[in-house]
Amino acid sequence: MIKKFKDISELSQYAARSFIEIAKRSIEERGRFLASLSGGSTPMRLYELLGDQFQNEVDWPLVHFFWGDERCVPVDDPGNSYGQTKKVFFDKIQIPNENIHRVLSELEPDSAAKDYANTLKAFSEPPLDWPRFDLALLGMGDDGHTASLFPGSPVDVDSATLAVTANYQGRPANRVTLTQNVLNSSRNVLFLVTGRAKAVTLSRVLSDNYMPAELPVQRIAPADGNLIWLMDEEAGSLL
């Protein structure tokens, strides 16, 4: 499913209502809502809405948050996704601290990746070694990366998490990412894409040409779930 919006404000309003709808349905059907969040600037407006305008719309004690990827930097570093989200979202809702499952970004990537794989396993749904997220929020970079799955990274992996220690196009290394194995198990995957700089890449990603090594975002294709693309007019200008 592809939906276009005038700007990030309209997109974020729709994303917030989708988040709430999926959360309520998940809690009604399974007694909890498991969500994997994305870092970066695009989802911050969504998080602000959930922490303010919509803060009373979700039964937060029944929600568990995870991360699609994280930089191995201190929580108070501007590049730490958990730290940034905490300020605009987590600190404003009534959610137990133990329901927020952050990557231990103070560890080295290898150790942090192994630790996070164990965190995921605690919520696994056999035969999987990880949970089926009710919602996975993702973004897309100008280069076609998503989470911290970058162009040139291994396409065929058998693990839930990866330590990212190689530089891609000058981006800092030392990250932890979920793999497509986990993300493709999700019941709902919601991509948020904004900005004219992503228009060319987005048109390539949504074409019939499958190039998962060059465009890692194409690796995300849930086998038994909904894949929804939300984009502003600029990002979707070539579609």
Side-chain angles (χ1 to χ4, degrees):
M1 183 186 298
I2 297 174
K3 287 186 173 291
K4 289 185 186 180
F5 301 88
K6 178 182 178 182
D7 52 30
I8 191 171
S9 179
E10 286 188 4
L11 183 154
S12 299
Q13 284 281 340
Y14 182 91
R17 296 182 190 280
S18 297
F19 179 102
I20 292 164
E21 179 184 336
I22 294 169
K24 289 181 175 179
R25 185 169 66 245
S26 300
I27 290 170
E28 181 179 322
E29 294 178 356
R30 290 176 291 279
R32 65 183 187 179
F33 173 52
L34 306 183
S36 173
L37 301 184
S38 172
S41 58
T42 300
M44 284 299 154
R45 179 60 184 147
L46 165 62
Y47 301 153
E48 290 171 354
L49 288 170
L50 292 172
D52 183 17
Q53 180 180 342
F54 298 112
Q55 66 173 265
N56 297 319
E57 296 292 321
V58 177
D59 193 351
W60 298 114
L62 298 179
V63 176
H64 288 264
F65 286 118
F66 302 82
W67 292 97
D69 70 326
E70 184 61 278
R71 294 175 177 85
C72 289
V73 295
V75 167
D76 59 0
D77 187 290
N80 187 271
S81 297
Y82 161 77
Q84 294 301 100
T85 305
K86 181 177 186 295
K87 295 175 185 176
V88 302
F89 185 15
F90 300 149
D91 286 350
K92 298 183 178 182
I93 59 174
Q94 300 299 313
I95 186 169
N97 287 334
E98 58 267 26
N99 287 22
I100 301 172
H101 308 281
R102 73 176 184 91
V103 176
L104 296 184
S105 58
E106 59 270 28
L107 301 178
E108 292 298 315
D110 283 339
S111 298
K114 290 174 183 176
D115 176 84
Y116 211 55
N118 288 331
T119 296
L120 295 174
K121 194 165 186 175
F123 288 83
S124 64
E125 296 185 26
L128 302 176
D129 283 333
W130 50 79
R132 284 197 70 194
F133 292 127
D134 299 299
L135 175 62
L137 287 172
L138 291 170
M140 186 196 77
D142 299 358
D143 58 357
H145 84 267
T146 190
S148 282
L149 302 172
F150 290 103
S153 61
V155 174
D156 297 316
V157 295
D158 58 9
S159 59
T161 63
L162 287 175
V164 181
T165 55
N167 284 306
Y168 295 101
Q169 295 190 346
R171 292 178 178 272
N174 298 326
R175 303 180 184 210
V176 171
T177 188
L178 301 186
T179 66
Q180 62 266 32
N181 300 331
V182 178
L183 297 170
N184 284 339
S185 299
S186 303
R187 293 182 169 91
N188 298 277
V189 175
L190 200 61
F191 275 99
L192 312 181
V193 187
T194 60
R196 190 169 302 278
K198 299 179 182 178
V200 172
T201 299
L202 186 57
S203 67
R204 294 178 65 208
V205 166
L206 296 178
S207 73
D208 293 331
N209 296 323
Y210 185 60
M211 299 175 287
E214 184 178 344
L215 299 170
V217 70
Q218 289 186 327
R219 302 173 196 175
I220 309 305
D224 186 24
N226 301 310
L227 177 60
I228 304 167
W229 288 86
L230 307 184
M231 62 193 70
D232 66 2
E233 286 182 354
E234 290 189 341
S237 61
L238 298 180
L239 296 176

